[in-house]
Coordinates of all heavy atoms in Angstrom, one line a residue:
M28 N 172.1 -103.0 89.3 CA 172.6 -104.3 88.9 C 171.4 -105.2 88.5 O 170.4 -105.3 89.2 CB 173.3 -104.9 90.2 CG 174.2 -106.1 89.9 SD 175.6 -105.8 89.1 CE 175.7 -107.3 88.1
L29 N 171.6 -105.9 87.4 CA 170.6 -106.8 86.9 C 171.0 -108.2 87.1 O 172.2 -108.5 87.4 CB 170.6 -106.6 85.3 CG 170.1 -105.2 84.9 CD1 170.4 -105.1 83.4 CD2 168.7 -104.9 85.3
S30 N 170.1 -109.1 87.0 CA 170.4 -110.6 87.0 C 171.2 -111.0 85.7 O 171.1 -110.2 84.7 CB 169.1 -111.5 87.1 OG 168.5 -111.4 85.8
I31 N 171.9 -112.0 85.8 CA 172.7 -112.6 84.6 C 171.8 -112.8 83.5 O 172.1 -112.4 82.2 CB 173.5 -113.8 84.9 CG1 174.5 -114.1 83.8 CG2 172.6 -114.9 85.4 CD1 175.5 -113.2 83.5
E32 N 170.6 -113.2 83.7 CA 169.6 -113.4 82.6 C 169.2 -112.1 81.9 O 169.3 -112.0 80.6 CB 168.4 -114.0 83.1 CG 168.6 -115.5 83.5 CD 169.1 -115.7 84.9 OE1 169.3 -114.7 85.7 OE2 169.6 -116.8 85.3
N33 N 168.9 -111.1 82.8 CA 168.6 -109.7 82.1 C 169.9 -109.3 81.4 O 169.5 -108.4 80.3 CB 168.0 -108.9 83.4 CG 166.6 -109.2 83.6 OD1 165.9 -109.8 82.9 ND2 166.2 -108.9 85.0
I34 N 171.0 -109.3 82.0 CA 172.1 -108.7 81.4 C 172.3 -109.3 79.9 O 172.5 -108.8 78.9 CB 173.4 -109.1 82.1 CG1 173.4 -108.0 83.5 CG2 174.7 -108.7 81.3 CD1 174.4 -108.3 84.3
K35 N 172.1 -110.7 79.9 CA 172.3 -111.4 78.6 C 171.1 -111.0 77.6 O 171.5 -110.7 76.5 CB 172.1 -112.9 78.8 CG 173.5 -113.5 79.5 CD 173.2 -114.9 79.7 CE 174.5 -115.5 80.3 NZ 174.4 -117.0 80.6
D36 N 169.9 -110.8 78.1 CA 168.9 -110.2 77.2 C 169.1 -108.9 76.7 O 168.8 -108.7 75.4 CB 167.5 -110.3 78.1 CG 166.9 -111.7 78.3 OD1 167.4 -112.7 77.7 OD2 166.1 -111.8 79.1
Q37 N 169.6 -108.0 77.6 CA 169.8 -106.6 77.1 C 171.0 -106.7 76.1 O 170.9 -105.8 75.1 CB 170.2 -105.7 78.4 CG 169.0 -105.5 79.3 CD 167.7 -105.0 78.7 OE1 167.8 -104.0 78.0 NE2 166.6 -105.6 78.9
L38 N 172.0 -107.4 76.3 CA 173.1 -107.3 75.5 C 172.7 -108.0 74.1 O 173.1 -107.5 73.0 CB 174.3 -108.2 76.0 CG 175.1 -107.5 77.2 CD1 176.1 -108.4 77.8 CD2 175.7 -106.1 76.8
N39 N 171.9 -109.0 74.1 CA 171.2 -109.7 73.0 C 170.5 -108.6 72.1 O 170.7 -108.5 70.9 CB 170.4 -110.9 73.3 CG 170.0 -111.6 72.0 OD1 170.8 -111.9 71.2 ND2 168.7 -111.8 72.1
L40 N 169.8 -107.8 72.7 CA 169.0 -106.7 72.1 C 170.0 -105.8 71.3 O 169.7 -105.2 70.4 CB 168.1 -105.8 73.1 CG 166.9 -106.5 73.6 CD1 166.2 -105.8 74.7 CD2 165.8 -106.8 72.5
L41 N 171.0 -105.5 71.9 CA 172.1 -104.8 71.3 C 172.9 -105.4 70.2 O 173.7 -104.8 69.5 CB 173.0 -104.2 72.3 CG 172.5 -103.3 73.3 CD1 173.4 -102.8 74.5 CD2 172.0 -101.9 72.7
G42 N 172.6 -106.7 70.1 CA 173.4 -107.5 69.1 C 174.9 -107.9 69.5 O 175.6 -108.2 68.7
L43 N 175.0 -107.9 70.8 CA 176.1 -108.2 71.4 C 176.3 -109.5 72.1 O 175.2 -110.1 72.5 CB 176.6 -107.1 72.4 CG 176.7 -105.6 72.0 CD1 176.9 -104.7 73.2 CD2 177.8 -105.6 71.0
S44 N 177.4 -110.2 72.0 CA 177.5 -111.4 72.6 C 177.8 -111.2 74.2 O 178.9 -110.7 74.6 CB 178.8 -112.2 72.0 OG 179.2 -113.3 72.9
A45 N 176.9 -111.8 75.1 CA 177.0 -111.6 76.5 C 178.3 -112.3 77.0 O 179.1 -111.8 77.7 CB 175.9 -112.3 77.2
A46 N 178.5 -113.4 76.5 CA 179.7 -114.2 76.8 C 181.0 -113.4 76.7 O 181.9 -113.3 77.4 CB 179.8 -115.5 76.1
D47 N 181.2 -112.8 75.5 CA 182.3 -111.9 75.1 C 182.5 -110.7 76.0 O 183.6 -110.3 76.5 CB 182.3 -111.6 73.6 CG 182.4 -112.6 72.6 OD1 182.9 -113.8 73.2 OD2 182.2 -112.4 71.5
V48 N 181.3 -110.0 76.1 CA 181.4 -108.8 76.9 C 181.7 -109.1 78.4 O 182.5 -108.4 79.0 CB 179.9 -108.1 76.9 CG1 180.0 -107.0 77.9 CG2 179.8 -107.6 75.5
I49 N 181.1 -110.1 79.0 CA 181.4 -110.5 80.4 C 182.9 -111.0 80.5 O 183.4 -110.8 81.5 CB 180.3 -111.5 80.8 CG1 179.0 -110.9 81.0 CG2 180.8 -112.1 82.2 CD1 177.9 -111.8 81.0
A50 N 183.3 -111.7 79.5 CA 184.8 -112.2 79.7 C 185.8 -111.0 79.4 O 186.7 -110.9 80.2 CB 185.0 -113.1 78.4
D51 N 185.3 -110.0 78.7 CA 186.2 -108.7 78.6 C 186.1 -107.9 79.9 O 187.2 -107.4 80.3 CB 185.6 -107.7 77.6 CG 186.5 -106.6 77.3 OD1 187.6 -106.7 77.3 OD2 185.9 -105.5 77.0
A52 N 185.0 -108.0 80.7 CA 184.8 -107.3 81.9 C 185.6 -108.0 83.0 O 186.1 -107.3 83.9 CB 183.3 -107.2 82.3
F53 N 185.6 -109.4 83.0 CA 186.2 -110.0 84.1 C 187.3 -111.0 83.6 O 187.1 -112.3 83.8 CB 185.1 -110.7 85.0 CG 184.0 -109.9 85.3 CD1 182.7 -110.2 85.0 CD2 184.2 -108.8 86.0 CE1 181.6 -109.6 85.4 CE2 183.1 -107.9 86.3 CZ 181.8 -108.4 86.0
P54 N 188.3 -110.4 83.0 CA 189.4 -111.4 82.4 C 190.1 -112.3 83.5 O 190.8 -113.3 83.2 CB 190.3 -110.6 81.6 CG 190.2 -109.2 82.3 CD 188.7 -109.1 82.9
D55 N 190.1 -111.8 84.7 CA 190.8 -112.4 85.8 C 190.2 -113.7 86.3 O 190.7 -114.6 87.1 CB 191.0 -111.5 87.0 CG 189.6 -111.0 87.5 OD1 188.8 -110.6 86.8 OD2 189.5 -111.0 88.8
L56 N 188.8 -113.9 85.9 CA 188.1 -115.2 86.4 C 188.3 -116.1 85.2 O 188.2 -115.9 84.0 CB 186.6 -114.8 86.5 CG 186.5 -113.7 87.6 CD1 185.0 -113.6 87.7 CD2 186.9 -114.3 89.0
E57 N 188.4 -117.4 85.6 CA 188.9 -118.5 84.8 C 187.9 -118.9 83.7 O 188.3 -119.5 82.6 CB 189.6 -119.6 85.6 CG 188.3 -120.3 86.4 CD 188.1 -119.8 87.7 OE1 188.8 -118.6 88.1 OE2 187.3 -120.3 88.5
N58 N 186.7 -118.8 84.0 CA 185.6 -119.3 82.9 C 184.4 -118.7 83.0 O 184.1 -117.8 83.9 CB 185.5 -120.9 83.2 CG 185.1 -121.2 84.6 OD1 184.2 -120.7 84.9 ND2 185.7 -122.2 85.1
G59 N 183.4 -119.0 82.1 CA 182.0 -118.3 82.1 C 181.3 -118.6 83.3 O 180.6 -117.8 83.8
H60 N 181.4 -119.8 84.0 CA 180.7 -120.1 85.1 C 181.1 -119.3 86.3 O 180.2 -118.8 86.9 CB 180.9 -121.6 85.5 CG 180.3 -121.9 86.8 ND1 178.8 -122.1 86.9 CD2 180.6 -122.2 88.1 CE1 178.4 -122.3 88.1 NE2 179.8 -122.5 88.9
A61 N 182.4 -119.0 86.5 CA 182.9 -118.2 87.6 C 182.4 -116.7 87.3 O 182.0 -116.0 88.3 CB 184.4 -118.2 87.7
R62 N 182.4 -116.2 86.0 CA 182.0 -115.0 85.8 C 180.5 -114.7 86.0 O 180.1 -113.7 86.6 CB 182.3 -114.6 84.3 CG 183.8 -114.5 83.9 CD 184.1 -114.3 82.6 NE 185.5 -114.4 82.4 CZ 186.1 -115.3 81.5 NH1 185.4 -116.0 80.7 NH2 187.4 -115.3 81.3
N63 N 179.7 -115.7 85.5 CA 178.3 -115.6 85.7 C 177.9 -115.7 87.4 O 177.1 -115.1 87.7 CB 177.4 -116.8 85.0 CG 177.6 -116.6 83.6 OD1 177.9 -115.6 83.0 ND2 177.2 -117.6 82.9
Q64 N 178.7 -116.5 88.1 CA 178.5 -116.7 89.5 C 178.8 -115.4 90.2 O 178.0 -114.9 91.1 CB 179.4 -117.7 90.0 CG 179.0 -118.1 91.5 CD 177.7 -118.5 91.7 OE1 177.1 -119.4 91.2 NE2 177.1 -118.0 92.7
L65 N 179.7 -114.6 89.7 CA 180.2 -113.3 90.4 C 179.0 -112.5 90.2 O 178.6 -111.7 91.1 CB 181.5 -112.7 89.5 CG 181.6 -111.2 90.0 CD1 182.0 -111.2 91.5 CD2 182.7 -110.7 89.1
I66 N 178.4 -112.3 88.9 CA 177.3 -111.4 88.7 C 176.1 -111.9 89.5 O 175.3 -111.1 90.1 CB 177.0 -111.4 87.1 CG1 178.1 -110.8 86.3 CG2 175.6 -110.7 86.9 CD1 177.9 -110.9 84.9
K67 N 175.8 -113.3 89.7 CA 174.8 -113.6 90.4 C 175.0 -113.3 91.9 O 174.1 -112.8 92.6 CB 174.6 -115.1 90.3 CG 173.4 -115.7 91.2 CD 173.4 -117.2 91.2 CE 172.3 -117.8 92.1 NZ 172.1 -117.3 93.4
D68 N 176.2 -113.3 92.5 CA 176.4 -113.0 93.7 C 176.2 -111.5 94.1 O 175.7 -111.2 95.2 CB 177.9 -113.4 94.2 CG 178.1 -114.9 94.2 OD1 177.2 -115.7 94.3 OD2 179.2 -115.3 94.2
M69 N 176.7 -110.6 93.2 CA 176.6 -109.3 93.3 C 175.0 -108.9 93.2 O 174.6 -108.0 94.1 CB 177.3 -108.4 92.1 CG 178.7 -108.5 92.4 SD 179.7 -107.2 91.3 CE 179.2 -107.9 89.7
F70 N 174.2 -109.4 92.3 CA 172.8 -109.3 92.2 C 172.1 -109.7 93.4 O 171.3 -109.0 94.0 CB 172.4 -110.0 91.0 CG 170.8 -109.9 90.6 CD1 170.3 -108.6 90.3 CD2 169.9 -110.9 90.8 CE1 169.0 -108.5 90.1 CE2 168.7 -110.8 90.7 CZ 168.1 -109.5 90.3
D71 N 172.4 -110.9 94.0 CA 171.8 -111.4 95.1 C 172.0 -110.5 96.4 O 171.2 -110.2 97.1 CB 172.3 -112.8 95.4 CG 171.7 -113.8 94.5 OD1 170.7 -113.4 93.6 OD2 172.1 -114.9 94.5
R72 N 173.4 -110.1 96.5 CA 173.7 -109.2 97.6 C 173.0 -107.9 97.4 O 172.5 -107.3 98.5 CB 175.2 -109.1 97.7 CG 175.8 -108.3 98.9 CD 175.4 -109.1 100.1 NE 176.0 -108.4 101.3 CZ 175.4 -108.1 102.4 NH1 174.1 -108.6 102.6 NH2 176.0 -107.4 103.4
R73 N 172.9 -107.3 96.3 CA 172.3 -106.0 96.0 C 170.9 -106.0 96.5 O 170.1 -105.2 97.1 CB 172.5 -105.6 94.7 CG 171.7 -104.4 94.3 CD 170.4 -104.7 93.4 NE 169.6 -103.5 93.3 CZ 168.2 -103.5 93.5 NH1 167.6 -104.6 94.0 NH2 167.6 -102.4 93.3
N74 N 170.2 -107.2 96.0 CA 168.8 -107.4 96.4 C 168.5 -107.5 97.9 O 167.6 -107.1 98.4 CB 168.1 -108.5 95.6 CG 167.8 -108.1 94.3 OD1 167.8 -107.1 93.8 ND2 167.6 -109.3 93.3
A75 N 169.5 -108.3 98.6 CA 169.3 -108.4 100.1 C 169.3 -107.0 100.7 O 168.5 -106.8 101.7 CB 170.4 -109.4 100.5
I76 N 170.3 -106.3 100.2 CA 170.5 -104.9 101.0 C 169.3 -104.1 100.6 O 168.7 -103.3 101.4 CB 171.9 -104.2 100.5 CG1 173.0 -105.2 101.2 CG2 171.9 -102.9 101.0 CD1 174.5 -104.8 100.5
A77 N 168.9 -104.0 99.4 CA 167.9 -103.1 99.0 C 166.6 -103.5 99.5 O 165.8 -102.4 99.8 CB 167.8 -103.1 97.4
H78 N 166.4 -104.6 99.7 CA 165.1 -105.1 100.4 C 165.1 -105.4 101.7 O 164.1 -105.8 102.3 CB 164.5 -106.3 99.5 CG 164.3 -106.0 98.0 ND1 163.2 -105.3 97.7 CD2 165.0 -106.4 97.0 CE1 163.3 -105.1 96.3 NE2 164.3 -105.8 95.8
Q79 N 166.1 -105.0 102.4 CA 166.3 -104.9 103.8 C 166.1 -106.5 104.2 O 165.4 -106.8 105.3 CB 165.6 -104.0 104.6 CG 165.8 -102.7 104.3 CD 165.0 -101.6 104.9 OE1 164.1 -102.0 105.8 NE2 165.1 -100.2 104.6
D80 N 166.7 -107.4 103.5 CA 166.6 -108.8 103.7 C 167.9 -109.4 103.9 O 168.2 -110.5 103.5 CB 165.8 -109.5 102.7 CG 165.4 -110.9 103.1 OD1 165.3 -111.2 104.2 OD2 165.4 -111.7 102.0
D81 N 168.9 -108.6 104.4 CA 170.3 -109.2 104.6 C 170.5 -110.0 105.9 O 171.6 -109.9 106.4 CB 171.2 -107.9 104.3 CG 171.1 -107.0 105.3 OD1 170.0 -106.8 105.9 OD2 172.1 -106.3 105.5
R82 N 169.5 -110.8 106.3 CA 169.7 -111.5 107.5 C 169.8 -112.9 107.2 O 169.1 -113.3 106.2 CB 168.5 -111.2 108.6 CG 168.6 -109.8 109.1 CD 167.5 -109.7 110.1 NE 167.6 -108.4 110.7 CZ 168.2 -107.9 111.7 NH1 169.0 -108.8 112.2 NH2 168.2 -106.7 112.2
S83 N 170.5 -113.7 107.9 CA 170.5 -115.0 107.7 C 169.1 -115.7 108.1 O 168.5 -115.4 109.1 CB 171.6 -115.8 108.6 OG 171.4 -117.1 108.6
H84 N 168.7 -116.6 107.2 CA 167.4 -117.3 107.6 C 167.6 -118.3 108.6 O 166.4 -118.5 109.4 CB 167.0 -118.0 106.2 CG 166.5 -117.0 105.0 ND1 165.5 -116.4 105.1 CD2 167.2 -116.9 104.0 CE1 165.4 -115.5 104.1 NE2 166.4 -115.8 103.3
E85 N 168.7 -118.7 108.9 CA 168.8 -119.7 110.1 C 169.0 -118.9 111.3 O 168.4 -119.4 112.4 CB 170.1 -120.5 109.8 CG 170.0 -121.6 108.5 CD 170.3 -120.8 107.3 OE1 171.1 -119.9 107.3 OE2 169.7 -121.3 106.3
T86 N 169.8 -117.9 111.4 CA 170.2 -117.3 112.7 C 169.6 -115.9 112.9 O 169.5 -115.4 114.0 CB 171.7 -117.2 112.9 OG1 172.1 -116.2 111.9 CG2 172.3 -118.6 112.7
A87 N 169.2 -115.3 111.8 CA 168.5 -113.9 111.8 C 169.6 -112.9 112.0 O 169.3 -111.6 112.2 CB 167.4 -113.7 112.9
E88 N 170.9 -113.3 111.9 CA 172.0 -112.4 112.1 C 172.1 -111.7 110.8 O 172.0 -112.2 109.7 CB 173.2 -113.1 112.5 CG 173.3 -113.6 113.9 CD 174.5 -114.2 114.3 OE1 175.6 -113.9 113.7 OE2 174.5 -115.0 115.3
R89 N 172.5 -110.5 110.8 CA 172.8 -109.5 109.6 C 174.2 -110.1 108.9 O 175.0 -110.5 109.6 CB 172.9 -108.2 109.9 CG 171.6 -107.6 110.2 CD 171.8 -106.0 110.1 NE 170.5 -105.5 110.1 CZ 170.1 -104.6 109.4 NH1 171.0 -104.0 108.6 NH2 168.8 -104.2 109.3
N90 N 173.9 -110.2 107.6 CA 175.2 -110.5 106.9 C 176.0 -109.2 106.8 O 175.6 -108.3 106.1 CB 174.9 -111.1 105.5 CG 174.1 -112.4 105.6 OD1 174.5 -113.2 106.4 ND2 173.2 -112.6 104.8
P91 N 177.2 -109.2 107.3 CA 177.8 -107.9 107.3 C 178.4 -107.6 106.0 O 178.6 -108.4 105.1 CB 179.1 -108.1 108.2 CG 179.2 -109.5 108.2 CD 177.8 -110.2 108.1
I92 N 178.6 -106.2 105.6 CA 179.2 -105.8 104.5 C 180.2 -104.7 104.9 O 180.0 -103.9 105.8 CB 178.2 -105.2 103.5 CG1 178.8 -104.9 102.1 CG2 177.5 -104.0 104.1 CD1 177.9 -104.6 101.1
D93 N 181.4 -104.8 104.4 CA 182.3 -103.8 104.7 C 182.8 -102.8 103.6 O 182.5 -103.2 102.4 CB 183.7 -104.5 105.3 CG 184.3 -105.5 104.5 OD1 184.5 -105.3 103.2 OD2 184.7 -106.6 104.8
A94 N 183.5 -101.9 103.9 CA 183.9 -101.0 102.8 C 184.7 -101.7 101.7 O 184.6 -101.3 100.4 CB 184.8 -99.7 103.4
D95 N 185.6 -102.6 102.0 CA 186.3 -103.3 101.0 C 185.5 -104.1 100.0 O 185.8 -104.1 98.9 CB 187.3 -104.3 101.7 CG 188.6 -104.2 101.5 OD1 189.0 -103.1 100.9 OD2 189.5 -105.1 101.5
Q96 N 184.4 -104.7 100.5 CA 183.5 -105.5 99.6 C 182.7 -104.4 98.8 O 182.6 -104.6 97.5 CB 182.5 -106.1 100.5 CG 181.6 -107.1 99.7 CD 180.6 -107.9 100.6 OE1 180.1 -107.5 101.6 NE2 180.3 -109.1 100.0
V97 N 182.4 -103.4 99.3 CA 181.7 -102.3 98.5 C 182.5 -101.9 97.4 O 182.2 -101.8 96.3 CB 181.2 -101.1 99.4 CG1 180.6 -100.0 98.6 CG2 180.1 -101.7 100.4
R98 N 183.8 -101.7 97.8 CA 184.8 -101.2 96.7 C 185.1 -102.3 95.6 O 184.9 -101.9 94.4 CB 186.2 -100.7 97.4 CG 186.2 -99.4 97.8 CD 187.6 -98.9 98.2 NE 188.1 -99.6 99.5 CZ 187.8 -99.1 100.7 NH1 187.0 -98.0 100.7 NH2 188.2 -99.9 101.7
R99 N 185.2 -103.5 96.1 CA 185.2 -104.7 95.1 C 184.1 -104.6 94.2 O 184.2 -104.8 92.9 CB 185.7 -105.9 95.8 CG 186.9 -106.0 96.3 CD 187.3 -107.4 96.7 NE 186.2 -108.1 97.5 CZ 186.1 -108.0 98.8 NH1 186.9 -107.3 99.5 NH2 185.2 -108.6 99.5
Y100 N 182.9 -104.6 94.7 CA 181.8 -104.7 93.8 C 181.6 -103.6 92.9 O 181.2 -103.7 91.8 CB 180.5 -104.9 94.8 CG 180.4 -106.4 95.2 CD1 181.2 -107.4 94.9 CD2 179.2 -106.6 96.0 CE1 180.8 -108.8 95.3 CE2 178.9 -107.9 96.5 CZ 179.7 -109.0 96.2 OH 179.5 -110.2 96.5
A101 N 181.9 -102.3 93.4 CA 181.9 -101.2 92.7 C 182.6 -101.3 91.5 O 182.4 -100.9 90.2 CB 182.0 -100.0 93.4
Q102 N 184.0 -101.8 91.6 CA 184.9 -102.0 90.6 C 184.5 -102.8 89.4 O 184.6 -102.8 88.4 CB 186.3 -102.4 91.2 CG 186.9 -101.3 91.9 CD 188.2 -101.8 92.7 OE1 188.3 -103.0 92.9 NE2 189.0 -100.9 93.2
R103 N 183.8 -104.0 90.0 CA 183.3 -105.1 89.1 C 182.1 -104.6 88.3 O 182.0 -104.7 87.1 CB 182.9 -106.3 89.9 CG 184.0 -107.0 90.6 CD 185.0 -107.6 89.6 NE 185.7 -108.6 90.3 CZ 186.5 -109.5 89.6 NH1 186.6 -109.4 88.2 NH2 187.2 -110.3 90.4
V104 N 181.3 -103.7 89.0 CA 180.1 -103.1 88.2 C 180.7 -102.2 87.1 O 180.3 -102.0 86.0 CB 179.2 -102.4 89.1 CG1 178.2 -101.7 88.4 CG2 178.4 -103.4 90.0
R105 N 181.7 -101.3 87.6 CA 182.4 -100.4 86.6 C 182.9 -101.2 85.5 O 182.8 -100.8 84.3 CB 183.3 -99.6 87.3 CG 184.0 -98.6 86.5 CD 183.2 -97.6 85.8 NE 183.7 -96.8 84.9 CZ 184.0 -95.3 85.0 NH1 183.7 -94.8 86.1 NH2 184.6 -94.8 84.1
A106 N 183.7 -102.3 85.7 CA 184.4 -103.0 84.6 C 183.3 -103.5 83.7 O 183.5 -103.5 82.5 CB 185.1 -104.2 85.3
L107 N 182.2 -104.0 84.2 CA 181.2 -104.6 83.4 C 180.5 -103.4 82.4 O 180.3 -103.5 81.2 CB 180.0 -105.2 84.1 CG 178.8 -105.8 83.2 CD1 179.3 -106.9 82.3 CD2 177.8 -106.4 84.2
A108 N 180.2 -102.2 83.0 CA 179.8 -101.0 82.2 C 180.8 -100.6 81.2 O 180.4 -100.4 80.0 CB 179.4 -99.9 83.2
D109 N 182.1 -100.6 81.5 CA 183.0 -100.3 80.5 C 183.2 -101.3 79.5 O 183.3 -100.8 78.4 CB 184.5 -100.2 81.2 CG 184.6 -99.0 82.2 OD1 183.7 -98.0 82.0 OD2 185.6 -98.9 82.9
A110 N 182.9 -102.6 79.7 CA 183.1 -103.6 78.7 C 181.9 -103.5 77.8 O 182.0 -103.7 76.6 CB 183.0 -105.0 79.3
V111 N 180.7 -103.2 78.4 CA 179.5 -103.0 77.4 C 179.7 -101.7 76.6 O 179.5 -101.7 75.3 CB 178.1 -102.8 78.3 CG1 177.0 -102.4 77.4 CG2 177.8 -104.0 79.0
S112 N 180.4 -100.6 77.1 CA 180.5 -99.5 76.4 C 181.5 -99.7 75.2 O 181.3 -99.3 74.1 CB 181.1 -98.4 77.3 OG 181.4 -97.2 76.6
N113 N 182.5 -100.4 75.5 CA 183.6 -100.8 74.6 C 183.1 -101.7 73.5 O 183.3 -101.5 72.3 CB 184.8 -101.7 75.0 CG 185.6 -100.7 76.1 OD1 185.6 -99.5 75.9 ND2 186.4 -101.2 77.0
A114 N 182.1 -102.5 73.8 CA 181.5 -103.5 72.8 C 180.7 -102.6 71.9 O 180.6 -102.9 70.6 CB 180.8 -104.6 73.5
V115 N 179.9 -101.8 72.5 CA 179.0 -100.9 71.6 C 179.8 -100.1 70.6 O 179.5 -100.0 69.5 CB 178.1 -100.1 72.4 CG1 177.3 -99.0 71.7 CG2 177.1 -101.0 73.3
R116 N 180.9 -99.5 71.1 CA 181.8 -98.7 70.3 C 182.3 -99.4 69.2 O 182.5 -99.0 68.0 CB 182.8 -98.0 71.2 CG 182.3 -96.8 72.0 CD 183.5 -96.1 72.8 NE 182.8 -95.2 73.6 CZ 183.4 -95.0 74.8 NH1 184.5 -95.6 75.3 NH2 182.8 -94.0 75.6
T117 N 182.8 -100.6 69.5 CA 183.5 -101.5 68.5 C 182.3 -101.9 67.3 O 182.6 -101.8 66.1 CB 184.0 -102.8 69.0 OG1 185.0 -102.4 70.0 CG2 184.6 -103.7 68.2
K118 N 181.1 -102.2 67.9 CA 180.1 -102.5 66.9 C 179.7 -101.4 66.1 O 179.5 -101.5 64.9 CB 178.9 -103.1 67.7 CG 177.7 -103.6 66.9 CD 176.6 -104.1 67.6 CE 175.5 -104.4 66.8 NZ 175.5 -105.8 66.2
E119 N 179.6 -100.2 66.6 CA 179.3 -99.0 65.8 C 180.5 -98.6 64.8 O 180.2 -98.4 63.7 CB 179.3 -97.8 66.7 CG 177.9 -97.8 67.5 CD 177.9 -96.6 68.6 OE1 178.9 -95.9 68.8 OE2 176.7 -96.2 68.9
S120 N 181.7 -98.9 65.2 CA 182.7 -98.5 64.3 C 182.8 -99.6 63.1 O 183.2 -99.2 62.0 CB 184.1 -98.5 64.9 OG 184.5 -99.7 65.4
E121 N 182.4 -100.8 63.4 CA 182.4 -101.9 62.4 C 181.4 -101.7 61.4 O 181.3 -102.0 60.2 CB 182.1 -103.2 63.0 CG 183.5 -103.7 63.7 CD 183.1 -105.0 64.6 OE1 182.1 -105.4 64.6 OE2 184.2 -105.5 65.1
S122 N 180.2 -100.9 61.8 CA 179.1 -100.8 60.9 C 179.3 -99.5 60.1 O 178.4 -99.1 59.2 CB 177.7 -100.8 61.6 OG 177.7 -99.6 62.6
E123 N 180.3 -98.7 60.3 CA 180.5 -97.4 59.4 C 181.1 -97.6 58.1 O 181.6 -98.7 57.9 CB 181.3 -96.5 60.4 CG 180.6 -96.0 61.5 CD 181.5 -95.1 62.4 OE1 182.7 -94.9 62.2 OE2 181.0 -94.4 63.3

């Protein structure tokens, strides 16, 4: 999982509109801010887990993660990957 800024940069390198790809990935979210926030939340949570820093700074208690949250995030990451793939295929077919 990348930060929203890195995702935008990578899509830009491919000549794709990040806003369009992200909107295609998450049509259930009402606006660009909500979509960007979702990506930020997933990126932040991934970093906390990967760096074993998933404890509250105030209480030192671990921030729990459950199977449902993992499934939801995995579905969201898959939706984003599918949207990128679709955008690349569309761009390729337009250039033929």
